Coordinates of all heavy atoms in Angstrom, one line a residue:
M1 N 114.8 96.4 30.5 CA 114.1 95.3 29.7 C 112.7 95.2 30.5 O 112.5 95.2 31.6 CB 114.8 94.0 29.9 CG 114.1 92.9 29.1 SD 115.0 91.3 29.2 CE 116.5 91.6 28.4
S2 N 111.6 95.2 29.5 CA 110.3 95.1 30.0 C 109.9 93.7 30.7 O 110.6 92.8 30.3 CB 109.3 95.5 28.9 OG 109.2 94.3 28.1
L3 N 109.0 93.7 31.5 CA 108.6 92.5 32.1 C 108.0 91.5 31.0 O 108.4 90.3 31.1 CB 107.4 92.7 33.1 CG 106.8 91.5 33.8 CD1 108.0 90.9 34.6 CD2 105.6 91.9 34.8
K4 N 107.4 91.9 30.1 CA 106.9 91.1 29.0 C 108.1 90.5 28.2 O 108.0 89.3 28.0 CB 106.0 91.9 28.0 CG 105.3 91.0 27.0 CD 104.4 91.8 26.1 CE 103.7 90.9 25.2 NZ 102.7 91.6 24.3
K5 N 109.1 91.3 28.0 CA 110.4 90.8 27.3 C 111.0 89.7 28.2 O 111.4 88.7 27.7 CB 111.2 92.0 26.9 CG 112.4 91.5 26.2 CD 112.2 91.1 24.9 CE 113.5 90.7 24.2 NZ 113.2 90.0 22.9
I6 N 111.1 90.0 29.4 CA 111.8 89.0 30.2 C 111.1 87.8 30.3 O 111.6 86.7 30.2 CB 111.9 89.7 31.7 CG1 113.0 90.8 31.8 CG2 112.4 88.6 32.7 CD1 113.0 91.6 33.0
S7 N 109.7 87.8 30.5 CA 108.8 86.6 30.6 C 108.9 85.8 29.3 O 109.1 84.5 29.4 CB 107.4 87.1 30.8 OG 106.6 85.9 30.9
S8 N 108.9 86.5 28.1 CA 109.0 85.8 26.8 C 110.4 85.0 26.7 O 110.5 84.0 26.3 CB 108.9 86.7 25.7 OG 109.1 86.0 24.6
T9 N 111.5 85.7 27.1 CA 112.8 85.2 27.1 C 112.8 84.0 28.1 O 113.4 82.9 27.7 CB 113.8 86.3 27.4 OG1 113.7 87.4 26.4 CG2 115.2 85.6 27.4
T10 N 112.4 84.1 29.2 CA 112.3 83.1 30.2 C 111.6 81.8 29.7 O 112.0 80.7 29.7 CB 111.7 83.5 31.5 OG1 112.4 84.6 32.0 CG2 111.7 82.4 32.6
T11 N 110.4 82.0 29.0 CA 109.6 80.9 28.5 C 110.4 80.1 27.5 O 110.5 78.9 27.5 CB 108.3 81.5 27.9 OG1 107.6 82.2 28.8 CG2 107.5 80.3 27.3
D12 N 111.1 81.0 26.6 CA 111.9 80.3 25.6 C 113.0 79.4 26.2 O 113.2 78.3 25.8 CB 112.5 81.4 24.6 CG 111.5 82.2 23.8 OD1 110.3 81.7 23.8 OD2 111.8 83.2 23.4
R13 N 113.6 79.9 27.2 CA 114.7 79.1 27.9 C 114.2 77.9 28.6 O 114.7 76.9 28.5 CB 115.5 80.1 28.7 CG 116.3 81.1 28.1 CD 117.1 81.9 29.0 NE 117.8 82.9 28.3 CZ 118.3 84.0 28.9 NH1 118.1 84.2 30.1 NH2 119.0 84.9 28.1
V14 N 113.0 78.1 29.2 CA 112.4 76.9 29.9 C 112.2 75.8 28.9 O 112.4 74.7 29.1 CB 111.2 77.4 30.7 CG1 110.5 76.1 31.3 CG2 111.6 78.2 31.9
I15 N 111.4 76.2 27.8 CA 111.0 75.2 26.9 C 112.3 74.6 26.3 O 112.4 73.4 26.1 CB 110.3 76.0 25.7 CG1 108.9 76.5 26.3 CG2 110.1 75.1 24.5 CD1 108.1 77.3 25.3
A16 N 113.4 75.3 26.0 CA 114.6 74.8 25.4 C 115.4 74.0 26.4 O 116.3 73.4 26.0 CB 115.4 76.0 24.8
G17 N 115.0 74.0 27.6 CA 115.7 73.4 28.7 C 117.1 74.0 29.1 O 117.9 73.4 29.6
R18 N 117.2 75.3 28.7 CA 118.5 76.0 29.0 C 118.4 76.9 30.2 O 119.5 77.5 30.5 CB 118.9 76.8 27.8 CG 119.1 76.1 26.6 CD 119.8 77.0 25.6 NE 119.0 78.1 25.2 CZ 118.3 78.3 24.2 NH1 118.3 77.4 23.2 NH2 117.7 79.4 24.0
L19 N 117.4 77.0 30.9 CA 117.2 77.9 32.1 C 117.7 77.0 33.3 O 117.0 76.0 33.6 CB 115.8 78.3 32.3 CG 115.6 79.3 33.4 CD1 116.3 80.5 33.1 CD2 114.1 79.6 33.6
S20 N 118.7 77.4 34.0 CA 119.2 76.7 35.2 C 118.1 76.7 36.3 O 117.3 77.6 36.4 CB 120.5 77.2 35.8 OG 120.2 78.5 36.5
R21 N 118.2 75.6 37.1 CA 117.2 75.6 38.3 C 117.4 76.8 39.1 O 116.4 77.4 39.6 CB 117.5 74.3 39.0 CG 116.6 74.0 40.1 CD 116.7 72.5 40.7 NE 115.8 72.3 41.7 CZ 116.0 72.5 43.0 NH1 117.2 73.0 43.4 NH2 115.1 72.2 43.9
R22 N 118.6 77.1 39.5 CA 118.8 78.4 40.3 C 118.2 79.6 39.7 O 117.5 80.3 40.4 CB 120.3 78.5 40.5 CG 120.6 79.7 41.4 CD 122.1 79.9 41.6 NE 122.4 78.9 42.6 CZ 123.6 78.8 43.1 NH1 124.5 79.6 42.8 NH2 123.8 77.8 44.0
R23 N 118.4 79.8 38.5 CA 117.9 81.0 37.8 C 116.4 81.0 37.8 O 115.6 81.9 38.0 CB 118.3 81.1 36.3 CG 117.8 82.3 35.6 CD 118.5 83.5 36.1 NE 118.0 84.7 35.3 CZ 117.7 85.9 35.7 NH1 117.8 86.1 37.0 NH2 117.3 86.8 34.9
F24 N 115.7 79.7 37.5 CA 114.3 79.6 37.6 C 113.7 80.0 38.9 O 112.7 80.6 39.0 CB 114.0 78.1 37.2 CG 112.5 77.9 37.1 CD1 111.8 78.1 36.0 CD2 111.9 77.3 38.2 CE1 110.4 77.8 35.9 CE2 110.4 77.1 38.2 CZ 109.8 77.3 37.1
L25 N 114.4 79.5 39.9 CA 113.9 79.7 41.3 C 114.0 81.1 41.7 O 113.1 81.7 42.3 CB 114.6 78.8 42.3 CG 114.3 77.3 42.2 CD1 115.2 76.5 43.1 CD2 112.8 77.0 42.5
S26 N 115.1 81.8 41.2 CA 115.2 83.2 41.5 C 114.2 84.1 40.8 O 113.7 85.1 41.3 CB 116.7 83.6 41.2 OG 116.8 83.7 39.8
L27 N 113.9 83.7 39.6 CA 112.8 84.4 38.9 C 111.5 84.1 39.6 O 110.6 85.1 39.6 CB 112.7 84.0 37.4 CG 114.0 84.4 36.6 CD1 113.9 83.8 35.2 CD2 114.0 85.9 36.4
A28 N 111.3 82.9 40.1 CA 110.1 82.6 40.7 C 109.9 83.4 41.9 O 108.8 83.9 42.2 CB 110.0 81.1 41.0
G29 N 111.0 83.6 42.6 CA 110.9 84.5 43.8 C 110.6 85.9 43.6 O 110.0 86.5 44.4
T30 N 110.9 86.4 42.4 CA 110.6 87.8 42.1 C 109.2 87.9 41.4 O 108.7 89.0 41.1 CB 111.6 88.4 41.1 OG1 111.5 87.6 39.8 CG2 113.0 88.3 41.6
G31 N 108.6 86.8 41.1 CA 107.2 86.9 40.6 C 107.2 86.9 39.0 O 106.2 86.9 38.4
I32 N 108.4 87.1 38.6 CA 108.6 87.2 37.0 C 108.0 85.7 36.4 O 107.5 85.9 35.3 CB 110.0 87.5 36.6 CG1 110.4 88.9 37.0 CG2 110.2 87.2 35.1 CD1 111.8 89.2 36.7
I33 N 108.1 84.8 37.1 CA 107.8 83.5 36.5 C 106.3 83.2 36.4 O 105.8 82.4 35.7 CB 108.4 82.3 37.2 CG1 108.8 81.2 36.3 CG2 107.6 81.9 38.4 CD1 110.1 81.5 35.6
V34 N 105.6 84.0 37.0 CA 104.2 84.0 37.0 C 103.6 84.2 35.6 O 104.1 85.1 34.9 CB 103.4 85.0 37.9 CG1 101.8 85.0 37.7 CG2 103.8 84.9 39.4
G35 N 102.8 83.3 35.0 CA 102.3 83.3 33.7 C 103.2 82.6 32.8 O 102.8 82.1 31.8
T36 N 104.5 82.4 33.1 CA 105.4 81.7 32.3 C 105.1 80.2 32.2 O 105.1 79.5 31.2 CB 106.8 81.8 32.7 OG1 107.2 83.3 32.7 CG2 107.8 81.1 31.9
L37 N 104.7 79.6 33.5 CA 104.5 78.2 33.5 C 103.2 77.9 32.7 O 103.1 76.9 32.1 CB 104.3 77.8 34.9 CG 105.5 77.7 35.7 CD1 105.2 77.4 37.2 CD2 106.5 76.7 35.1
A38 N 102.2 78.8 32.8 CA 101.0 78.6 31.9 C 101.4 78.6 30.4 O 100.7 77.8 29.8 CB 100.0 79.8 32.2
Q39 N 102.3 79.4 30.1 CA 102.6 79.4 28.7 C 103.4 78.2 28.2 O 103.2 77.7 27.2 CB 103.6 80.7 28.3 CG 102.9 82.0 28.4 CD 103.9 83.1 28.3 OE1 105.0 83.0 27.8 NE2 103.5 84.4 28.7
V40 N 104.2 77.7 29.2 CA 104.9 76.5 28.9 C 104.0 75.3 28.7 O 104.0 74.6 28.0 CB 106.0 76.2 30.0 CG1 106.5 74.8 29.9 CG2 107.1 77.2 30.0
R41 N 103.0 75.3 29.7 CA 102.0 74.3 29.7 C 101.2 74.3 28.4 O 100.9 73.2 27.8 CB 101.0 74.6 30.8 CG 100.6 73.2 31.6 CD 99.8 73.5 32.8 NE 100.7 73.4 33.9 CZ 100.4 73.9 35.2 NH1 99.3 74.6 35.3 NH2 101.2 73.7 36.1
R42 N 100.9 75.5 27.9 CA 100.1 75.5 26.7 C 101.0 75.1 25.5 O 100.6 74.6 24.5 CB 99.7 77.0 26.4 CG 98.3 77.2 26.8 CD 97.7 78.6 26.5 NE 97.8 79.4 27.7 CZ 98.5 80.6 27.9 NH1 99.1 81.1 26.9 NH2 98.4 81.1 29.0
A43 N 102.3 75.3 25.6 CA 103.2 74.9 24.5 C 103.4 73.4 24.5 O 103.8 72.9 23.4 CB 104.5 75.5 24.7
E44 N 103.1 72.6 25.5 CA 103.3 71.1 25.5 C 102.3 70.6 24.6 O 101.1 70.9 24.5 CB 103.0 70.6 27.0 CG 104.0 71.1 28.0 CD 103.7 70.6 29.3 OE1 102.7 70.0 29.6 OE2 104.6 70.9 30.3
A45 N 102.8 69.5 23.9 CA 102.0 68.9 22.9 C 101.1 67.8 23.7 O 101.6 67.3 24.6 CB 102.8 68.3 21.9
K46 N 99.9 67.6 23.2 CA 99.1 66.6 23.7 C 99.4 65.3 22.9 O 99.9 65.3 21.9 CB 97.7 66.9 23.5 CG 97.2 68.1 24.5 CD 95.7 68.3 24.2 CE 95.2 69.4 25.1 NZ 93.8 69.7 24.9
T47 N 99.0 64.1 23.5 CA 99.1 62.9 22.9 C 98.0 62.7 21.9 O 96.9 63.0 22.0 CB 99.1 61.8 24.0 OG1 100.0 62.0 25.1 CG2 99.3 60.4 23.4
S48 N 98.5 62.0 20.7 CA 97.5 61.7 19.8 C 96.5 60.7 20.2 O 96.7 59.9 21.1 CB 98.2 61.2 18.5 OG 98.6 59.9 18.7
Q49 N 95.3 60.8 19.7 CA 94.3 59.8 20.1 C 94.7 58.4 19.8 O 94.4 57.4 20.5 CB 93.0 60.1 19.3 CG 92.3 61.4 19.7 CD 91.0 61.7 19.1 OE1 90.5 60.9 18.4 NE2 90.4 62.8 19.4
R50 N 95.4 58.2 18.7 CA 95.9 56.9 18.4 C 96.8 56.3 19.4 O 96.8 55.2 19.9 CB 96.6 56.8 17.0 CG 97.1 55.5 16.5 CD 97.9 55.7 15.2 NE 98.4 54.4 14.8 CZ 98.0 53.7 13.9 NH1 96.9 54.1 13.3 NH2 98.5 52.5 13.6
A51 N 97.9 57.3 19.9 CA 98.8 56.8 20.9 C 98.2 56.5 22.2 O 98.6 55.6 23.0 CB 100.0 57.9 21.0
A52 N 97.1 57.3 22.5 CA 96.4 57.2 23.7 C 95.3 56.0 23.7 O 94.8 55.6 24.7 CB 95.6 58.4 24.1
R53 N 95.3 55.3 22.5 CA 94.3 54.2 22.3 C 92.8 54.8 22.5 O 92.1 54.1 23.3 CB 94.5 53.0 23.0 CG 95.9 52.4 22.3 CD 96.2 51.0 23.0 NE 97.7 50.9 23.1 CZ 98.1 50.6 24.4 NH1 97.4 50.3 25.4 NH2 99.5 50.6 24.5
Y54 N 92.6 56.1 22.2 CA 91.4 56.5 22.5 C 90.2 55.8 21.6 O 90.4 55.5 20.5 CB 91.3 58.1 22.0 CG 89.9 58.8 22.1 CD1 89.4 59.2 23.3 CD2 89.3 59.0 20.9 CE1 88.2 59.7 23.4 CE2 88.0 59.6 20.9 CZ 87.5 59.9 22.3 OH 86.3 60.5 22.3
Q55 N 89.1 55.7 22.2 CA 87.9 55.1 21.6 C 86.8 55.9 21.9 O 86.8 56.5 23.0 CB 87.7 53.6 22.0 CG 87.5 53.5 23.4 CD 87.5 52.0 23.9 OE1 88.5 51.3 23.6 NE2 86.5 51.6 24.7
D56 N 85.8 56.1 21.1 CA 84.6 56.9 21.3 C 83.6 56.3 22.1 O 82.3 56.8 22.2 CB 84.1 57.7 20.1 CG 83.7 56.8 19.0 OD1 83.7 55.6 19.3 OD2 83.4 57.2 17.9
T57 N 83.8 55.1 22.6 CA 82.9 54.4 23.5 C 83.5 54.1 24.9 O 84.7 54.1 25.0 CB 82.5 53.0 22.9 OG1 83.7 52.3 22.6 CG2 81.7 53.3 21.5
P58 N 82.7 54.0 25.9 CA 83.2 53.7 27.2 C 83.9 52.3 27.2 O 83.7 51.4 26.4 CB 82.0 53.7 28.1 CG 80.9 54.2 27.3 CD 81.2 54.0 25.8
K59 N 84.7 52.1 28.3 CA 85.2 50.8 28.6 C 84.6 50.4 29.9 O 85.1 50.9 31.0 CB 86.7 50.7 28.7 CG 87.3 49.5 28.9 CD 88.9 49.5 29.0 CE 89.4 48.1 29.3 NZ 90.8 48.0 29.4
G60 N 83.7 49.5 29.9 CA 82.9 49.3 31.2 C 82.2 50.5 31.7 O 81.6 51.2 31.0
D61 N 82.5 50.8 33.0 CA 82.0 52.0 33.5 C 82.9 53.2 33.5 O 82.7 54.2 34.1 CB 81.6 51.6 35.0 CG 82.8 51.3 35.9 OD1 84.0 51.1 35.3 OD2 82.7 51.3 37.1
K62 N 84.0 53.1 32.8 CA 85.0 54.0 32.6 C 84.7 54.8 31.3 O 84.7 54.3 30.3 CB 86.3 53.6 32.6 CG 86.7 52.9 33.9 CD 88.1 52.2 33.8 CE 88.4 51.5 35.0 NZ 89.8 50.7 34.8
S63 N 84.5 56.2 31.5 CA 84.4 57.1 30.2 C 84.9 58.5 30.6 O 85.2 58.7 31.8 CB 82.8 57.3 30.0 OG 82.2 57.8 31.0
C64 N 85.2 59.2 29.5 CA 85.8 60.5 29.7 C 85.0 61.4 30.7 O 85.6 62.2 31.4 CB 85.9 61.2 28.3 SG 87.0 60.3 27.2
S65 N 83.7 61.3 30.7 CA 82.9 62.1 31.5 C 83.2 61.8 33.1 O 83.0 62.6 33.9 CB 81.4 61.9 31.3 OG 81.0 60.6 31.6
G66 N 83.7 60.6 33.3 CA 84.2 60.3 34.7 C 85.6 60.4 34.9 O 86.2 59.9 36.0
C67 N 86.3 61.1 34.0 CA 87.9 61.2 34.0 C 88.2 62.5 34.5 O 87.7 63.6 34.1 CB 88.4 60.8 32.6 SG 90.2 61.0 32.6
K68 N 89.2 62.5 35.4 CA 89.7 63.8 36.0 C 90.4 64.7 34.9 O 90.4 66.0 35.0 CB 90.9 63.5 37.0 CG 91.3 64.6 37.8 CD 92.3 64.1 38.9 CE 91.6 63.8 40.2 NZ 92.5 63.4 41.3
L69 N 90.7 64.2 33.7 CA 91.5 64.9 32.7 C 90.5 65.4 31.6 O 90.9 66.1 30.7 CB 92.5 64.0 32.0 CG 93.5 63.5 33.0 CD1 94.4 62.5 32.3 CD2 94.3 64.6 33.7
F70 N 89.2 65.1 31.8 CA 88.2 65.6 30.8 C 87.8 67.1 30.9 O 87.7 67.5 32.1 CB 87.0 64.7 30.9 CG 85.9 65.0 29.7 CD1 86.2 64.9 28.4 CD2 84.7 65.3 30.1 CE1 85.3 65.2 27.5 CE2 83.7 65.6 29.2 CZ 84.1 65.5 27.8
L71 N 87.7 67.8 29.8 CA 87.3 69.2 29.9 C 86.0 69.3 29.3 O 85.9 69.5 28.0 CB 88.3 70.1 29.1 CG 89.8 70.0 29.7 CD1 90.8 70.7 28.7 CD2 89.9 70.7 31.1
A72 N 85.0 69.1 30.0 CA 83.6 69.0 29.6 C 83.2 70.2 28.8 O 82.4 70.1 27.9 CB 82.7 68.8 30.9
D73 N 83.6 71.4 29.2 CA 83.1 72.7 28.6 C 83.6 72.8 27.2 O 83.0 73.4 26.3 CB 83.6 73.9 29.4 CG 82.8 74.1 30.7 OD1 81.8 73.3 30.9 OD2 83.4 74.9 31.5
E74 N 84.7 72.1 26.8 CA 85.4 72.2 25.6 C 85.2 70.9 24.8 O 85.8 70.8 23.7 CB 86.8 72.6 25.7 CG 87.0 73.7 26.6 CD 88.5 74.0 27.0 OE1 89.4 73.6 26.2 OE2 88.7 74.5 28.0
N75 N 84.7 69.8 25.3 CA 84.8 68.5 24.8 C 86.1 68.2 24.3 O 86.5 67.8 23.2 CB 83.8 68.3 23.5 CG 82.4 67.9 23.9 OD1 82.1 67.6 25.2 ND2 81.5 67.9 22.9
A76 N 87.0 68.2 25.3 CA 88.5 68.1 25.1 C 89.1 67.5 26.3 O 88.4 67.3 27.3 CB 89.2 69.5 24.9
C77 N 90.3 67.2 26.2 CA 91.0 66.4 27.3 C 92.4 67.2 27.5 O 92.9 67.8 26.6 CB 91.4 65.1 26.7 SG 92.5 64.1 27.9
R78 N 92.8 67.2 28.7 CA 94.1 67.8 29.1 C 95.2 67.2 28.5 O 96.3 67.8 28.2 CB 94.3 67.8 30.6 CG 93.3 68.7 31.3 CD 93.6 68.7 32.9 NE 92.5 69.2 33.6 CZ 92.1 70.3 33.9 NH1 92.7 71.3 33.2 NH2 91.0 70.6 34.5
V79 N 95.2 65.8 28.1 CA 96.4 65.2 27.7 C 96.2 64.5 26.2 O 97.2 64.2 25.7 CB 96.8 64.1 28.6 CG1 97.2 64.7 29.9 CG2 95.8 63.0 28.9
V80 N 95.0 64.4 25.8 CA 94.8 63.8 24.4 C 94.2 64.9 23.5 O 93.4 65.6 23.8 CB 93.8 62.7 24.5 CG1 93.6 62.0 23.1 CG2 94.4 61.6 25.5
E81 N 94.8 64.9 22.3 CA 94.4 66.0 21.3 C 93.1 65.7 20.6 O 92.6 64.5 20.7 CB 95.5 66.2 20.3 CG 95.7 65.0 19.4 CD 97.0 65.1 18.5 OE1 97.8 66.0 18.8 OE2 97.0 64.3 17.5
G82 N 92.4 66.8 20.1 CA 91.3 66.5 19.3 C 90.0 66.7 20.2 O 90.0 66.9 21.3
V83 N 88.9 66.5 19.4 CA 87.5 66.5 20.1 C 87.4 65.2 20.8 O 87.6 64.1 20.3 CB 86.4 66.6 19.0 CG1 85.1 66.6 19.6 CG2 86.6 68.0 18.3
I84 N 87.0 65.3 22.1 CA 86.8 64.1 23.0 C 85.3 64.0 23.4 O 84.7 64.9 23.8 CB 87.7 64.3 24.1 CG1 89.1 64.3 23.8 CG2 87.5 63.0 25.1 CD1 89.8 63.2 23.1
S85 N 84.9 62.9 23.2 CA 83.4 62.5 23.6 C 83.3 62.2 25.1 O 84.2 61.7 25.6 CB 82.9 61.4 22.7 OG 81.7 60.8 23.3
P86 N 82.3 62.8 25.7 CA 82.1 62.3 27.1 C 81.9 60.8 27.3 O 82.2 60.3 28.4 CB 80.9 63.1 27.6 CG 80.3 63.7 26.3 CD 81.2 63.6 25.2
N87 N 81.6 60.2 26.2 CA 81.4 58.7 26.3 C 82.7 58.0 25.9 O 82.6 56.7 25.7 CB 80.3 58.3 25.4 CG 79.0 58.8 25.8 OD1 78.6 58.8 27.0 ND2 78.2 59.3 24.9
G88 N 83.7 58.7 25.6 CA 85.0 58.1 25.2 C 85.8 57.5 26.3 O 85.4 57.5 27.4
Y89 N 86.9 57.0 25.9 CA 87.8 56.4 26.9 C 89.2 56.2 26.3 O 89.4 56.1 25.1 CB 87.3 54.9 27.3 CG 88.3 54.1 28.0 CD1 88.4 54.3 29.4 CD2 89.2 53.3 27.4 CE1 89.4 53.6 30.1 CE2 90.2 52.5 28.1 CZ 90.2 52.6 29.5 OH 91.2 51.9 30.2
C90 N 90.2 56.2 27.1 CA 91.6 55.9 26.6 C 92.4 55.4 27.8 O 91.9 55.3 28.9 CB 92.3 57.2 26.0 SG 93.1 58.3 27.3
R91 N 93.6 55.0 27.4 CA 94.4 54.3 28.5 C 94.9 55.3 29.6 O 95.5 54.8 30.5 CB 95.7 53.7 27.8 CG 96.6 54.6 27.2 CD 97.6 53.9 26.3 NE 98.7 54.7 25.7 CZ 99.9 54.8 26.2 NH1 100.3 54.1 27.1 NH2 100.7 55.7 25.5
F92 N 94.8 56.6 29.4 CA 95.2 57.5 30.5 C 94.0 57.8 31.5 O 94.2 58.7 32.3 CB 95.7 58.9 29.9 CG 96.8 58.6 29.0 CD1 96.8 59.1 27.7 CD2 98.0 58.1 29.4 CE1 97.9 59.0 26.8 CE2 99.1 57.8 28.6 CZ 99.0 58.3 27.3
W93 N 93.0 57.1 31.3 CA 91.7 57.4 32.2 C 92.1 57.5 33.7 O 92.8 56.7 34.2 CB 90.8 56.3 31.9 CG 89.4 56.5 32.7 CD1 88.3 57.3 32.3 CD2 89.1 56.1 34.1 NE1 87.4 57.3 33.2 CE2 87.8 56.6 34.3 CE3 89.7 55.4 35.0 CZ2 87.1 56.3 35.5 CZ3 89.1 55.1 36.2 CH2 87.8 55.6 36.4
V94 N 91.6 58.6 34.3 CA 91.8 58.7 35.8 C 90.5 59.0 36.4 O 89.8 60.0 36.1 CB 92.9 59.8 36.1 CG1 93.0 60.0 37.6 CG2 94.2 59.6 35.4
R95 N 90.1 58.3 37.4 CA 88.9 58.6 38.1 C 88.8 60.0 38.7 O 89.7 60.4 39.3 CB 88.6 57.6 39.2 CG 87.1 57.6 39.8 CD 86.9 56.6 40.9 NE 87.2 55.2 40.4 CZ 86.2 54.5 39.7 NH1 85.1 55.1 39.4 NH2 86.6 53.3 39.3
S96 N 87.6 60.7 38.4 CA 87.5 62.0 38.8 C 86.8 62.0 40.2 O 86.2 61.1 40.7 CB 86.8 62.9 38.0 OG 85.5 62.5 37.7
Ligands
LIG101 S1 92.6 61.0 29.6 FE1 91.5 59.6 28.1 S2 89.8 58.9 29.3 FE2 90.5 60.9 30.3 S3 89.3 62.4 29.3 FE3 91.2 62.3 28.2 S4 90.6 60.9 26.5 FE4 89.1 60.6 28.1

């Protein structure tokens, strides 16, 4: 079985919650798990702007540009979906 096939299968199992902790750790030990976590992370859904109570204006001195979760290069956020303004704010704000 190729490394790519093993990695894809592993990702599917991790996402489905069917991969045992022991198997996960053994794969991590062999290096097969490298790249798999990044794929799982990408597969995670972000929170909607509505659920995050996102607003496109700051709250006091708190704004997305000062938040640890803001991705300035992409006008995006690690946890909230959609286009995010540097002047925005939501309930997940974390000081950077
Ligand atoms: S978590 Fe909220 S405050 Fe922080 S960057 Fe994302 S949308 Fe802005």
